[in-house]
Amino acid sequence: MNVLLDAATIQTRVRELAGEIESDYPPGEEIHLVCVLKGGFMFMADLVRAMSSRVSLDFIAVSSYAKSTKSSGEVRMLKDLDSGLQGRHIVIVEDIVDTGLTLIYLQEILRARSPKTLRTACLLSKPSRRQVDVTVEYIGFTIEDHFVVGYGLDFAEQFRNLPYIAVLDDES
Ligand code: IMP
Ligand code: MG
């Protein structure tokens, strides 16, 4: 595996993103962060530790249907949020935006819950893979079309624990 983004590089960028996010909201207003499980967990944990605003957290889990039907953008809700979103400032916290199908679906279902604002933060973006025009206000790093693991991202549930992001070789 080749390291694409080392731990220090990620930490520096996540702190910058935390600052960018906080500066976009009126002082004193709570920011409600919605982490997309499982991949977003490490990004979420570091992001919130770099924030000093009033924040609250929730977690959602979705899974894509079988690969063959993935282009439909259909996703299955595995775990819904604990609390409602009405009138709140929501930031979706996601690991990576690839085709964009998962995210566009999530944005749609969360927008239907009438948040005051709805924005999205993704640690990684692979723009060359995009199938839908999805809006992501905060992007950590734009990367080439490689399958990456670590810092929350998995291959068959492995490698989520790595503190860095690596490109998974074909032979590994
Ligand atoms: P999308 O719906 O195609 O944008 O897929 C988004 C989801 O696919 C992400 O939230 C990840 O869970 C997964 N994914 C996409 N690319 C990668 C990758 O390079 N490594 C690990 N997971 C990935
Ligand atoms: Mg994900």
Side-chain angles (χ1 to χ4, degrees), residues 36-37 39 94-95:
V36 185
L37 294 172
E94 175 59 305
D95 52 1

Side-chain angles (χ1 to χ4, degrees), residues 6-7 16 24 31-32 36 38 50 63 84 90 131 133 172:
D6 64 31
E16 282 173 9
D24 284 349
I31 306 171
H32 189 58
V36 185
K38 302 172 191 171
S63 108
I90 307 304
Q131 289 182 22
D133 186 17
S172 57

Side-chain angles (χ1 to χ4, degrees), residues 36 39 64 70 94-103 126 129 143 146-149 153-155:
V36 185
S64 306
K70 208 184 172 195
E94 175 59 305
D95 52 1
I96 186 166
V97 52
D98 186 33
T99 63
L101 292 165
T102 307
L103 195 53
K126 286 193 228 176
R129 297 256 312 159
I143 64 169
H146 292 125
F147 195 85
V148 291
V149 295
L153 292 124
D154 75 307
F155 173 71

Side-chain angles (χ1 to χ4, degrees), residues 79-128:
K79 183 219 173 291
D80 203 346
L81 298 171
D82 290 338
S83 61
L85 303 184
Q86 195 165 7
R88 307 172 84 172
H89 291 299
I90 307 304
V91 179
I92 300 172
V93 178
E94 175 59 305
D95 52 1
I96 186 166
V97 52
D98 186 33
T99 63
L101 292 165
T102 307
L103 195 53
I104 212 153
Y105 170 85
L106 263 176
Q107 290 178 347
E108 198 178 291
I109 59 165
L110 299 187
R111 196 172 292 116
R113 300 180 187 185
S114 309
K116 188 169 183 184
T117 61
L118 179 67
R119 294 185 183 144
T120 303
C122 285
L123 183 72
L124 304 173
S125 173
K126 286 193 228 176
S128 62

Side-chain angles (χ1 to χ4, degrees), residues 9-23 47 50 138 140-141:
T9 303
I10 296 169
Q11 293 303 318
T12 301
R13 183 67 186 129
V14 170
R15 277 194 294 270
E16 282 173 9
L17 282 176
E20 275 179 49
I21 294 170
E22 289 186 311
S23 66
L47 192 67
Y138 310 102
F141 302 94

